[in-house]
Amino acid sequence: MKILLISANRERSPYPVFPLGLAYLAGPLARAGHSLELLDLCFESEPVAAVAAAIERFAPAAVVLSIRNIDNVTYPGSRSYLEGVREVVAACGVRVPVILGGSGFSIMPREVLGAVGGDYGIVGEGEEILPELLTALERGDAPGPLPGVVARGGGEYLAPRPVQRIGTPDRRLFPVERYNREGGMANLQTKRGCPFSCVYCTYPLLEGSRMRLRPIPDIIAEIRELRDRYGVSYVYFVDDIFNFPMDFAADLCRAMVDAKLNVNWSAFINPGFVTPALLEAMVAAGCDAVEFGTEAGSPVMLRNLGKSFGVAEIRDASRLCRDLGVDFAHYILFGGPGECEATVRETFALMDEVGPTAVIAMTGIRIFPGTPLYRQALEEGVITPETSLLEPVFYISSAIRDTLCDLVTEEAMKRKNWVAAGLEINISDAMLDALRHFPVRGPLWKLMKRLGKSRLKPM
């Protein structure tokens, strides 16, 4: 069959993100004998016209549409992407079956399918199930119940079937060089699944709570291909937590050193699993920056958010980064259950103490179905079972709901290393465009230390 792969993501702030999930599908589809064409809407000025032209030129037998996010999960400056996706689906016409997938779709599959159109959707990982669905469509059969597949009009639904052996993404159809040039790095995954219990997080829902590790030789080969074929010199590991399990992270770092890859990289890590030996191994393997999913600096809020570490671990991990010269950022989520003015100020005080390169702050926490935060929001009457979460709904503690944004704005504006996207503090589209003129390799927040005391006041 001729299959048109479409990446629906058009968000380029703070930088364009390579559609890794769709690249994971390309290999299995090609091996199943399908003829593939890619349309990446991230770089299309007229996406609807581009879709219509691709349908007319390529005449696919099916369209596979990947939805990375349904909104930008940012309060108060939230933006929904659903209308754009709806227009893309409509541009595919009625004669071509449209199959939806991706993390944005999988969070609320039936709701998204009903809102944007489409014929089928795949919840979770599609490497194994999508070829099965396409085989049924090619035969002209009405697909029977397949794990993770939802259909327009309903029908029996079976729970998704996790992929047991994670393969290697096939990037040959994709504009890797452009993502590398405009984003300053290439993304790479070493594992799937998350065994932790943060109250707001969708990772365990999307990938399961059992961690599945990729073979280290496959990861090394992928990095080498990125370097040799595409000229990549900086890699970002997109794992929910790079440094857990710790022995796997250490083994991977040693393999990177042995392979003499000579690339730099950064990753999202948990401050509770940072030791001098592991961080030294990471630095030796090329790590020059890390991002901590800290979320709070208050012991009460760390417990309420379900974090697996405490303030002592945050201090220790930050000190180790400073000692080894590793740039580091702490991500903060203000407004969770039990947040009040005192806990907000505790977080600011701890960040002042540990002195990160950057603090990336969000006000309010996007509510997604199936999470512990969703259940708490129901109990508190923040939402009802009938509340549609297709459009962004944010949890903000009642004790600080009316004052949170003003308080965070007031305090963040006093500090040169704080970024608050929803409040446009030290960040804006114009600023991001200006930063891209620097020779950036890796996360843009690394440039905070070069920006001096300049400020961007909130709009």
Side-chain angles (χ1 to χ4, degrees):
M1 295 174 70
K2 296 169 70 174
I3 309 297
L4 177 63
L5 306 176
I6 301 179
S7 176
N9 179 49
R10 299 186 62 210
E11 182 62 76
R12 300 179 64 185
S13 177
Y15 31 70
V17 177
F18 179 85
L20 194 58
L22 204 56
Y24 268 106
L25 296 178
L29 293 179
R31 288 191 293 273
H34 299 292
S35 175
L36 306 178
E37 181 167 313
L38 171 77
L39 177 60
D40 190 336
L41 299 181
C42 191
F43 304 115
E44 294 287 343
S45 59
E46 299 290 340
V48 173
V51 171
I55 295 288
E56 178 68 23
R57 181 188 67 258
F58 186 56
V63 171
V64 175
L65 179 65
S66 177
I67 304 171
R68 181 173 182 262
N69 292 308
I70 61 174
D71 58 76
N72 66 343
V73 297
T74 300
Y75 180 88
S78 63
R79 293 195 304 272
S80 174
Y81 306 139
L82 286 176
E83 181 57 34
V85 176
R86 188 181 300 115
E87 293 173 350
V88 167
V89 173
C92 293
V94 297
R95 293 174 295 176
V96 182
V98 178
I99 303 167
L100 307 180
S103 56
F105 172 79
S106 298
I107 291 172
M108 289 180 273
R110 292 198 182 279
E111 294 86 346
V112 174
L113 187 65
V116 306
D119 300 283
Y120 301 96
I122 294 181
V123 181
E125 299 162 346
E127 293 102 308
E128 296 174 352
I129 293 300
L130 179 57
E132 294 185 32
L133 175 59
L134 291 172
T135 295
L137 295 177
E138 190 173 20
R139 290 196 305 255
D141 297 341
L146 292 171
V149 174
V150 295
R152 183 176 58 186
E156 184 180 356
Y157 176 70
L158 303 179
R161 183 175 70 203
V163 172
Q164 293 307 306
R165 190 184 192 282
I166 305 167
T168 298
D170 186 344
R171 292 177 166 89
R172 289 175 294 178
L173 293 172
F174 297 80
V176 180
E177 293 90 346
R178 184 163 185 181
Y179 278 103
N180 185 40
R181 183 175 66 252
E182 298 190 19
M185 52 189 164
N187 51 0
L188 189 148
Q189 185 178 53
T190 76
K191 63 179 77 75
R192 292 181 190 168
C194 182
F196 298 97
S197 303
C198 301
V199 300
Y200 51 84
C201 187
T202 59
Y203 268 97
L205 302 176
L206 295 171
E207 298 185 352
S209 58
R210 182 175 66 85
M211 194 162 277
R212 291 159 291 146
L213 311 176
R214 287 182 63 195
I216 287 178
D218 290 3
I219 300 169
I220 297 300
E222 184 177 353
I223 298 173
R224 184 176 287 114
E225 180 184 47
L226 285 168
R227 182 196 66 187
D228 295 346
R229 175 179 287 191
Y230 300 109
V232 168
S233 61
Y234 201 101
V235 169
Y236 182 81
F237 290 105
V238 300
D239 309 332
D240 183 37
I241 300 173
F242 174 83
N243 60 328
F244 184 86
M246 294 175 67
D247 56 351
F248 176 78
D251 289 345
L252 175 57
C253 289
R254 283 190 288 269
M256 292 174 69
V257 172
D258 292 343
K260 296 180 172 59
L261 296 172
N262 296 319
V263 298
N264 290 112
W265 55 275
S266 54
F268 210 78
I269 69 174
N270 182 313
F273 300 96
V274 179
T275 64
L278 178 56
L279 195 57
E280 287 169 4
M282 291 168 61
V283 171
C287 177
D288 65 4
V290 293
E291 300 178 341
F292 291 109
T294 308
E295 320 305 14
S298 158
V300 169
M301 292 309 301
L302 290 171
R303 288 195 299 272
N304 291 354
L305 292 172
K307 306 306 290 184
S308 62
F309 51 83
V311 169
E313 287 86 353
I314 297 171
R315 288 191 174 104
D316 290 344
S318 299
R319 176 182 52 78
L320 286 173
C321 288
R322 288 197 307 273
D323 290 347
L324 290 175
V326 176
D327 286 326
F328 64 106
H330 285 288
Y331 279 71
I332 301 296
L333 287 176
F334 284 119
E339 190 85 89
C340 63
E341 181 175 340
T343 59
V344 169
R345 294 192 183 280
E346 278 185 284
T347 294
F348 274 98
L350 183 64
M351 291 299 103
D352 289 345
E353 177 188 337
V354 301
T357 311
V359 180
I360 316 298
M362 307 289 283
T363 50
I365 304 177
R366 174 64 154 101
I367 302 172
F368 288 111
T371 62
L373 185 65
Y374 173 81
R375 294 189 288 273
Q376 182 160 352
L378 282 175
E379 293 171 2
E380 295 180 6
V382 176
I383 57 174
T384 71
E386 291 74 36
T387 301
S388 172
L389 296 177
L390 284 172
E391 295 298 322
V393 179
F394 292 84
Y395 184 101
I396 301 178
S397 168
S398 59
I400 202 168
R401 184 173 297 131
D402 296 333
T403 58
L404 177 62
C405 290
D406 288 341
L407 176 58
V408 172
T409 297
E410 177 185 353
E411 293 300 320
M413 288 291 292
K414 299 174 184 176
R415 295 158 169 89
K416 67 180 181 179
N417 64 334
W418 277 70
V419 172
L423 303 174
E424 293 199 350
I425 296 172
N426 277 338
I427 191 169
S428 69
D429 289 341
M431 181 182 184
L432 291 171
D433 288 340
L435 287 175
R436 290 190 185 100
H437 288 88
F438 287 87
V440 181
R441 294 169 65 249
L444 286 175
W445 57 259
K446 289 172 62 180
L447 290 174
M448 294 297 293
K449 61 189 177 184
R450 295 168 58 181
L451 296 180
K453 297 182 180 296
S454 60
R455 281 293 184 280
L456 286 177
K457 294 184 178 181
M459 301 295 286

